[in-house]
Amino acid sequence: MSVPQWELRARFAVSLADLYGQEVPAYTTLVDVSRAVNEDFVAAHGADAERLGSISRVTAERHGAIRVGSPVEMAQVARLFAGFGMHPVGFYDLRDASASSVPVVSTAFRPTDVDELARNPFRVFTSMLVTDDRRFFDAATQERLEAFVAARELFAPEALVLADRAAAEGSLGSDDADRFLTLATASFALSTEPIDRAWYDHLEAISAVAADIGGVPATHINHLTPRVLDIDDLYARMSALGIAMIPEIQGPPDWEGPDVLLRQTSFRALAEPRTFREADGTTTSGELRVRFGEVEQRGIALTATGRDLYDDLTAEVDRRLAHAPQGTTRVAVAAEVWREHLPQTETGLALAGLGFFRFHATGTARPSTGSGTVAGLAELLESGALVAEPIVYEDFLPRSAAGIFQSNLTDEGSRDDDQLGTPYDLVRLSEVVGITIADPNDLYAAQQAASLAEAEAALGHAIN
Ligand code: OOG
Ligand code: NI
């Protein structure tokens, strides 16, 4: 029996969840509460609840976050994930997310095909430490970081060989599949090897994220995030259980119009026992608090125009908030700004070219257009000749990402803002990963365009 890549990926998500649930018990609570929120949401909203993904997809849906220390490690991660049919999509430079800057650049590994996403959308947000960024690391620290990272092995060579085979053949035999899953999962377990206390502390004074990456002998899952259909409900239920959430839900506000992009929130995980090696060579047990629980709600993918508008609105919210009376929440200001600037309906988003949709011809009577050869999208939607199905946002938001990173750190660390390191972008990071990183917009736009072409064929005329 051979195991196809989607099944490898689905099993990988489950096996990482088992591991993470054992390591971070609060994760299990989060998953239980998420399931309850989703069940109640479906019960209350019926079929509409599944507009942005089937309930079976959403229930199984997770994203992981991991952090690696060098281009070599990033290329290995890319090989490993390719075995699971997960490909790099999107570029995020968290160094320039202003106040909450952290010394990493990131991409997300995920399925890119619509069918593959529907079977299992497991994705992993993957960050790479940028060691030559003088805003964070002096030359001596850079040198030591690079040597430290170069000397460790994150992935068993056998895992990478199996990954290559799964990627080339699209499946693995059942024994190889078991082996691949065991090895791949083990790569992300929290290491019990001692951590050099002085080195860790040195890095932590600069950046807690740098310490979590370059101060420890292995990588680990930083968080594993379930998806909910109502994050406000989730937030209230977790708070009622006495779990201290970060003060806000990040990303778009709760409002009566369509949900777009991504809303996320998190709670700090408990301190975890770790072993340290002290300056005198003895080992001691201590604690670190670097991992956390995160949860998300996904909305409609925005076009480049929609995304620019989103960024402008976010800036407008900041401006208004700066002048708002004490006690005004960001979410309240944001909801007001959104009401002023965003269409209140999905159709409005589609017609304004702000959101991505798949259009389907319904086969019902089409409107007469006069010319008989072309019809406008608006009238086709209005007459019911065409329906628009929203395309869900499968990616991340750098500002939320940086906010999530930062809100869970104990200390902001130090940095010197004048000296930038390697000027990474999507192309440069693609070279590092060894695979072309897809631009998320191209993927969404291709889906929308394909659906329009099919709809035009079914209608027998062009749509404008
Ligand atoms: C990754 C933070 C980004 C998200 O959901 O935006 C992220 C990290 O903390 O390593 O996971
Ligand atoms: Ni995350």
Side-chain angles (χ1 to χ4, degrees):
M1 267 292 283
S2 86
V3 184
Q5 272 183 308
W6 75 262
E7 199 176 325
L8 291 172
R9 182 168 67 251
R11 283 172 58 184
F12 185 40
V14 169
S15 110
L16 284 177
D18 288 345
L19 169 74
Y20 194 61
Q22 281 158 30
E23 293 178 342
V24 180
Y27 169 75
T28 310
T29 309
L30 178 65
V31 168
D32 290 344
V33 176
S34 299
R35 189 174 302 119
V37 164
N38 290 341
E39 282 168 8
D40 289 354
F41 191 86
V42 169
H45 294 83
D48 260 4
E50 299 189 79
R51 274 186 82 60
L52 289 165
S54 71
I55 186 66
S56 65
R57 171 188 155 160
V58 171
T59 305
E61 188 157 347
R62 300 283 182 276
H63 87 247
I66 61 160
R67 304 159 174 186
V68 298
S70 68
V72 169
E73 290 183 352
M74 192 65 161
Q76 289 171 345
V77 167
R79 266 176 81 191
L80 188 83
F81 289 158
F84 294 105
M86 297 156 69
H87 313 289
V89 181
F91 171 77
Y92 308 87
D93 193 338
L94 303 195
R95 297 173 302 173
D96 59 23
S98 70
S100 32
S101 151
V102 276
V104 300
V105 292
S106 315
T107 186
F109 291 87
R110 66 168 177 86
T112 49
D113 227 71
V114 182
D115 297 340
E116 287 289 312
L117 281 162
R119 286 189 180 116
N120 185 285
F122 187 48
R123 50 175 92 70
V124 179
F125 191 91
T126 305
S127 301
M128 180 185 86
L129 190 65
V130 182
T131 52
D132 68 355
D133 199 312
R134 284 281 175 272
R135 289 171 298 181
F136 296 90
F137 310 113
D138 61 29
T141 304
Q142 176 189 352
E143 199 179 317
R144 187 158 171 210
L145 254 179
E146 288 171 1
F148 182 93
V149 167
R152 69 186 185 185
E153 182 184 270
L154 298 186
F155 306 104
E158 190 191 348
L160 297 176
V161 170
L162 287 167
D164 291 346
R165 188 129 56 79
E169 294 171 11
S171 64
L172 283 180
S174 119
D175 291 348
D176 283 343
D178 291 348
R179 182 84 184 133
F180 181 41
L181 281 157
T182 305
L183 291 174
T185 306
S187 324
F188 298 103
L190 200 62
S191 164
T192 51
E193 260 184 79
I195 296 166
D196 183 321
R197 171 87 71 183
W199 174 231
Y200 191 93
D201 287 352
H202 171 70
L203 289 177
E204 197 180 24
I206 300 167
S207 151
V209 174
D212 185 44
I213 301 173
V216 298
T219 189
H220 43 257
I221 306 166
N222 179 271
H223 58 267
L224 197 64
T225 300
R227 176 174 163 193
V228 287
L229 297 169
D230 183 348
I231 200 168
D232 302 289
D233 186 15
L234 181 285
Y235 190 97
R237 292 194 202 199
M238 291 295 282
S239 304
L241 287 175
I243 295 166
M245 309 296 286
I246 60 168
E248 286 185 339
I249 295 171
Q250 319 238 348
D254 180 26
W255 78 312
E256 54 294 343
D259 284 321
V260 300
L261 297 174
L262 180 64
R263 303 179 67 210
Q264 297 182 312
T265 191
S266 64
F267 60 88
R268 286 183 68 188
L270 296 178
E272 297 177 288
R274 304 278 277 268
T275 310
F276 290 89
R277 178 167 298 108
E278 305 296 341
D280 63 5
T282 56
T283 53
T284 56
S285 38
E287 316 193 298
L288 286 180
R289 193 171 175 172
V290 289
R291 309 208 286 175
F292 54 88
E294 183 191 54
V295 62
E296 68 191 14
Q297 176 181 340
R298 292 188 170 268
I300 302 170
L302 295 184
T303 61
T305 318
R307 186 49 197 269
D308 286 347
L309 178 60
Y310 173 78
D311 290 340
D312 289 349
L313 297 189
T314 306
E316 173 64 14
V317 170
D318 287 345
R319 268 193 302 276
R320 282 198 204 175
L321 199 53
H323 302 288
Q326 271 251 310
T328 314
T329 67
R330 196 185 68 84
V331 171
V333 174
E336 173 190 292
V337 170
W338 284 54
R339 277 179 206 120
E340 288 167 28
H341 297 276
L342 270 188
Q344 307 263 343
T345 62
E346 281 185 11
T347 310
L349 268 188
L351 292 177
L354 296 172
F356 282 115
F357 291 82
R358 267 183 292 268
F359 297 98
H360 306 284
T362 55
T364 61
R366 39 184 126 118
S368 109
T369 60
S371 78
T373 55
V374 180
L377 189 56
E379 47 175 324
L380 289 168
L381 287 173
E382 199 180 314
S383 72
L386 218 55
V387 291
E389 174 203 353
I391 296 179
V392 67
Y393 189 59
E394 305 283 359
D395 295 287
F396 293 86
L397 292 176
R399 184 174 146 131
S400 297
I404 295 274
F405 260 114
Q406 213 62 26
S407 61
N408 282 283
L409 302 178
T410 26
D411 182 351
E412 289 213 347
S414 63
R415 73 195 122 90
D416 171 354
D417 275 334
D418 313 322
Q419 302 193 50
L420 304 138
T422 307
Y424 278 107
D425 59 15
L426 190 137
V427 172
R428 211 48 203 270
L429 191 62
S430 295
E431 286 162 16
V432 163
V433 178
I435 308 174
T436 304
I437 299 176
D439 182 331
N441 270 330
D442 294 347
L443 300 177
Y444 301 123
Q447 281 182 41
Q448 175 167 293
S451 80
L452 274 172
E454 261 184 51
E456 287 182 338
L459 292 169
H461 60 70
I463 301 170
N464 69 6

